[in-house]
Amino acid sequence: MGERMILGATIHMWFTFAVIATAIVAYVMERTPLEVISAAIVTVLLIFFYAFPLQGPGGEALLGPQTLLSGFASPALITIMALLVIGQGLYQTGALEGPTRQFASLGASRPRITFVLILLTAAVVSAFMNNTPVVVIFIPVITALASRLSFNPSKVLIPLSFLTILGGMTTLIGSSTNLLVAGSAVRAGLEPIGFFDFAIPGLVFACVGALYVIFVAPRLLAPRETMAAAIAGGSGKQFIAQIEVAPDHPLNGEAAVAGLFPSLKDMTVRLVQRGEHAYLPPFEDVTLRAGDVVIVAATRNALTEALKARNSILASDRVAAQAERANDTETAAQEDGAGEIVLVEAVVAPGSRLVGRVIEQAGFRSQTGCIVLGIQRRSRMIRSRMDDIRIEAGDVLLIMGPRERLRPLRLNRDILLLEWSLTELPDLGLANRALGVFAMTIAAAATGLVPIVIAALGGAIAMVATGCLNIRQASRSFDRQIYMLIGASIAMAMALEATGGAQYLAQHVVGALRDAGPPVILSALFLLIAVLTNFLSNNATALLFTPIAINTANTLGVDPNIFVYAVIFAANCSFATPMGYQTNLLVMGPGHYQFSDFARAGAPLCLLIWLAFSLFAPWYYGLI
């Protein structure tokens, strides 16, 4: 009977190893969608442990469906999904437009230096604050700044996660893992670990890692761009737009400098119409004044950015669109998602009633409730007022209006609506409200007033309750890949722990090197923990290996704190997989990363920190 139990446990353990290895290969190859792989992994585990149950001392099933599926309702998963909703609220309201514009003005000439300073700031802050809220704070700033400076966010979001993890290695409170290891060491009879007890080696490893993350990792990351980003401004096609300068307009009184208008640096001014007189470029000694009509050529991205600004040069168009939205309050109350201001492109169909007519003659706004913000025509350059442009078949109209007004446009035979080009504009009137919700969420989590899962969930609900998001927008922020990946990774981690796989590896690796000397054993233990922390949770890995490390140190006659610090540093080396740490999962969606991105950029970092530890720690702690 005893032999049968040992054999059964061994079969369960080796099957779990096989499933994890297969999952890693499938994730890295990326031939199958990540969520399909994750669902298949969970299904295989459910079937195997149902057919061959792993029983505990009391005969209960240790890995039944309830246990294996519990990861899909774990606090970590709820936290990440709630934080994604909060991030969507900040984006939807344009709450970070102000700080982003300030960063952009500072970094316009040297964007790389600006990003490096932001990343280093995040690393320093993470030494004194939990990593997760630090990353939550910086993700929307970095993504918005990257968009404004035409810098691919996929080059900086993984470095953001990695640098906050490295910063968390330097102090006792830098990571929850550090606190768990310290608590476990005290329970084992060691003296409490001080705030800066491992700060010096931690700084050495953080600096070594930071050099890699800043100068090497971005080169290893493939540029990831969504269709939305490409539509927003990647194509470079120019729309003709018209700006009417009113007495209170931001352009009123602006003088041309070297033939250009500073506020219109992202647009090409083609004509300034003043009464019956037209000014053509270059605009020497021209000062704009009330009543002028400025004709510009600009990309969709430039026009969108102008609309997002609080003191927008296109304010009159946006106000008109919001007035149309206000007229649809009954519809907005009935439909979720109604009332949002959106941009969409539409092609003028052959035989359209718009052909040969100007926008005003066609009565487009009165008939549709939408505004034509710009006209794009590839056949020739247009240098005239929009009021004078006669529409031709094939012209692309950039249309702005309330979302509920788009439904009739789908049935309009005069234009072909390009639904994939739809972009929502932030509701700037709710920006301060969203910032308040965000600030309270971060404060509650950072001060420990409530657990981060409660703070995040409360913040997500508050974003909806205060009107910063509607249900459709909130649900759209959920990422099914992240959801399935977390659930599958937790199921694999539970199987690895319950079958004794993690303990088996620890005991056999340490046992095989027992006669090799403290420096070699310390290095091997570090490498084993660094590998497992990318597949188990780092907290579970730390709790599992802390007593093993202390026992090993006592057997070797070495200060056990040295081995405890090794557990802290190694358990934080969760760079090689997205499920290695929460911050990796947080940047996965906004950066549009794949599993291989973390393996490509993170695995070398794990090896680099291991080598730095293996060379520095034995010398620093006097083991050689």
Side-chain angles (χ1 to χ4, degrees):
M1 178 66 178
E3 291 181 0
R4 191 177 306 152
M5 287 296 293
I6 294 174
L7 180 62
T10 303
I11 291 174
H12 290 114
M13 182 181 68
W14 287 110
F15 180 81
T16 301
F17 284 153
V19 169
I20 293 175
T22 303
I24 294 170
V25 172
Y27 283 140
V28 172
M29 291 180 67
E30 297 176 355
R31 293 183 179 177
T32 307
L34 186 146
E35 54 266 44
V36 175
I37 298 171
S38 301
I41 290 167
V42 175
T43 303
V44 168
L45 290 174
L46 285 169
I47 293 173
F48 179 82
F49 286 106
Y50 178 79
F52 306 99
L54 178 66
Q55 296 180 340
E60 73 280 6
L62 296 179
L63 291 171
Q66 186 172 357
T67 302
L68 289 172
L69 294 175
S70 63
F72 292 100
S74 71
L77 178 58
I78 300 299
T79 299
I80 290 170
M81 292 300 169
L83 290 173
L84 290 175
V85 173
I86 293 173
Q88 180 73 9
L90 293 174
Y91 167 78
Q92 199 66 39
T93 59
L96 296 174
E97 279 297 308
T100 301
R101 287 177 183 275
Q102 292 178 357
F103 276 121
S105 62
L106 294 174
S109 59
R110 295 185 176 179
R112 293 183 182 276
I113 294 177
T114 302
F115 281 114
V116 168
L117 291 176
I118 293 174
L119 293 175
L120 291 177
T121 301
V124 172
V125 173
S126 67
F128 305 95
M129 184 176 170
N130 186 278
N131 300 351
T132 303
V134 173
V135 172
V136 172
I137 291 171
F138 280 93
I139 282 176
V141 174
I142 285 179
T143 52
L145 184 61
S147 174
R148 189 173 295 278
L149 296 179
S150 300
F151 198 92
N152 199 307
S154 66
K155 295 289 187 179
V156 288
L157 286 177
I158 276 184
L160 170 66
S161 176
F162 287 179
L163 281 171
T164 57
I165 295 172
L166 290 168
M169 288 184 177
T170 58
T171 67
L172 181 63
I173 65 169
S175 168
S176 59
T177 305
N178 305 356
L179 293 170
L180 285 174
V181 173
S184 181
V186 170
R187 289 192 296 272
L190 300 184
E191 292 293 323
I193 297 176
F195 193 90
F196 291 111
D197 279 2
F198 50 89
I200 293 178
L203 282 171
V204 171
F205 307 143
C207 289
V208 170
L211 290 174
Y212 166 85
V213 170
I214 291 172
F215 295 107
V216 180
R219 300 177 185 274
L220 301 177
L221 293 169
R224 305 287 184 191
E225 187 177 33
T226 60
M227 181 179 291
I231 292 167
S235 65
K237 64 182 179 183
Q238 301 274 313
F239 285 91
I240 298 299
Q242 178 172 303
I243 302 172
E244 298 179 5
V245 182
D248 58 347
H249 196 277
L251 291 178
N252 188 15
E254 179 161 322
V257 178
L260 302 173
F261 296 99
S263 297
L264 301 174
K265 60 182 180 180
D266 295 327
M267 304 179 182
T268 302
V269 179
R270 297 237 173 122
L271 171 72
V272 175
Q273 184 76 41
R274 180 175 295 165
E276 299 298 324
H277 183 70
Y279 294 90
L280 298 176
F283 301 99
E284 301 292 346
D285 302 323
V286 175
T287 300
L288 297 177
R289 62 193 189 196
D292 287 351
V293 177
V294 183
I295 307 302
V296 299
T299 64
R300 173 174 173 162
N301 186 52
L303 293 172
T304 303
E305 290 298 322
L307 285 165
K308 287 181 180 179
R310 292 179 182 272
N311 195 19
S312 174
I313 59 174
L314 299 173
S316 59
D317 292 310
R318 176 147 193 167
V319 168
Q322 289 174 331
E324 294 292 343
R325 179 180 65 178
N327 293 332
D328 297 319
T329 52
E330 183 177 348
T331 305
Q334 293 174 353
E335 295 188 49
D336 178 42
E340 302 161 13
I341 300 297
V342 298
L343 282 177
V344 68
E345 295 178 21
V347 178
V348 178
S352 169
R353 290 175 296 176
L354 299 176
V355 174
R357 306 168 72 183
V358 299
I359 296 294
E360 189 173 350
Q361 287 177 340
F364 189 86
R365 178 179 169 185
S366 61
Q367 293 181 21
T368 66
C370 297
I371 299 168
V372 176
L373 190 65
I375 300 175
Q376 187 265 330
R377 180 176 296 166
R378 292 193 180 276
S379 59
R380 61 183 180 275
M381 184 175 70
I382 303 175
R383 197 190 299 274
S384 59
R385 295 168 52 123
M386 282 183 61
D387 297 341
D388 299 329
I389 299 175
R390 295 193 177 276
I391 300 172
E392 297 180 2
D395 285 351
V396 179
L397 308 180
L398 184 61
I399 299 172
M400 177 175 62
R403 178 182 287 273
E404 57 270 17
R405 293 287 193 171
L406 295 185
R407 289 174 175 79
L409 289 182
R410 296 188 183 104
L411 305 176
N412 192 318
R413 296 184 179 181
D414 294 323
I415 57 175
L416 305 174
L417 201 65
L418 307 179
E419 301 248 14
W420 46 263
S421 69
L422 187 144
T423 301
E424 295 177 3
L425 294 176
D427 190 342
L428 300 177
L430 299 172
N432 290 334
R433 197 178 301 177
L435 280 175
V437 171
F438 178 65
M440 287 188 291
T441 301
I442 295 299
T447 59
L449 181 64
V450 293
I452 189 171
V453 61
I454 298 177
L457 193 57
I461 294 172
M463 281 289 184
V464 177
T466 57
C468 298
L469 290 174
N470 55 47
I471 297 297
R472 183 191 57 79
Q473 292 166 334
S475 62
R476 193 177 58 195
S477 64
F478 280 75
D479 191 314
R480 65 177 183 273
Q481 287 191 338
I482 293 178
Y483 181 81
M484 293 301 299
L485 179 63
I486 294 176
S489 64
I490 292 176
M492 288 188 288
M494 286 181 168
L496 193 62
E497 287 187 65
T499 59
Q503 206 161 11
Y504 172 87
L505 289 174
Q507 291 174 349
H508 280 70
V509 170
V510 174
L513 298 172
R514 190 168 295 278
D515 298 329
V520 175
I521 294 176
L522 188 66
S523 175
L525 183 69
F526 185 103
L527 182 59
L528 177 61
I529 297 171
V531 171
L532 288 181
T533 195
N534 284 282
F535 303 102
L536 291 170
S537 74
N538 54 350
N539 289 342
T541 306
L543 291 174
L544 173 66
F545 277 91
T546 300
I548 295 173
I550 293 172
N551 290 334
T552 303
N554 289 333
T555 302
L556 297 172
V558 176
D559 181 2
N561 279 320
I562 299 174
F563 278 71
V564 170
Y565 298 151
V567 174
I568 289 176
F569 295 135
N572 278 296
C573 287
S574 46
F575 307 112
T577 65
M579 62 271 200
Y581 197 62
Q582 277 191 358
T583 57
N584 291 351
L585 289 165
L586 281 174
V587 301
M588 187 176 181
H592 314 292
Y593 294 116
Q594 299 177 3
F595 190 96
S596 60
D597 291 316
F598 291 91
R600 187 183 305 115
L605 181 56
C606 291
L607 292 175
L608 182 63
I609 300 298
W610 169 62
L611 288 172
F613 179 87
S614 299
L615 295 173
F616 180 80
W619 169 82
Y620 181 76
Y621 291 115
L623 297 181
I624 54 175

